[in-house]
Amino acid sequence: AGDNMLTGHIPKEIGNLIKLEKIFLDNNKLSGTIPIEMGNLVDLNKLSLSHNRLTGYIPSELKNLTKLERLWLNDNHFTGKN
């Protein structure tokens, strides 16, 4: 699980880790936006970024994650319509 007291931005280089299947970065103090490069993680089936300080829009590139079964983005500060 997350809860590692991580701070700062999610680096765009995370998109180079194309074999990743699960990312749990929840319950940290991550800020900034979700990098569009996360759309490269086509084997990802679980992504948890909830309970952080992320902002901006949820990138449309996440639609490339066709194997994604679970997505947690709650309790952030995203921009957009409800």
Side-chain angles (χ1 to χ4, degrees), residues 47-77:
L47 174 58
S48 182
L49 299 174
S50 61
H51 303 283
N52 279 289
R53 298 175 180 169
L54 297 170
T55 59
Y57 291 95
I58 298 169
S60 62
E61 287 78 6
L62 294 187
K63 71 179 181 284
N64 299 334
L65 308 180
T66 58
K67 294 183 181 178
L68 198 62
E69 297 173 3
R70 303 270 188 222
L71 175 64
W72 298 273
L73 297 175
N74 55 298
D75 293 319
N76 281 288
H77 305 287

Side-chain angles (χ1 to χ4, degrees), residues 8-9 18 43 52 54:
H9 294 72
I18 57 172
D43 285 337
N52 279 289
L54 297 170

Side-chain angles (χ1 to χ4, degrees), residues 15-69:
N16 295 333
L17 305 173
I18 57 172
K19 296 293 184 184
L20 278 180
E21 294 181 3
K22 297 173 180 63
I23 297 177
F24 292 95
L25 292 173
D26 51 291
N27 295 305
N28 286 291
K29 295 181 181 177
L30 296 172
S31 58
T33 59
I34 298 175
I36 61 172
E37 290 82 3
M38 287 192 91
N40 297 337
L41 306 177
V42 294
D43 285 337
L44 206 62
N45 60 57
K46 290 184 176 66
L47 174 58
S48 182
L49 299 174
S50 61
H51 303 283
N52 279 289
R53 298 175 180 169
L54 297 170
T55 59
Y57 291 95
I58 298 169
S60 62
E61 287 78 6
L62 294 187
K63 71 179 181 284
N64 299 334
L65 308 180
T66 58
K67 294 183 181 178
L68 198 62
E69 297 173 3

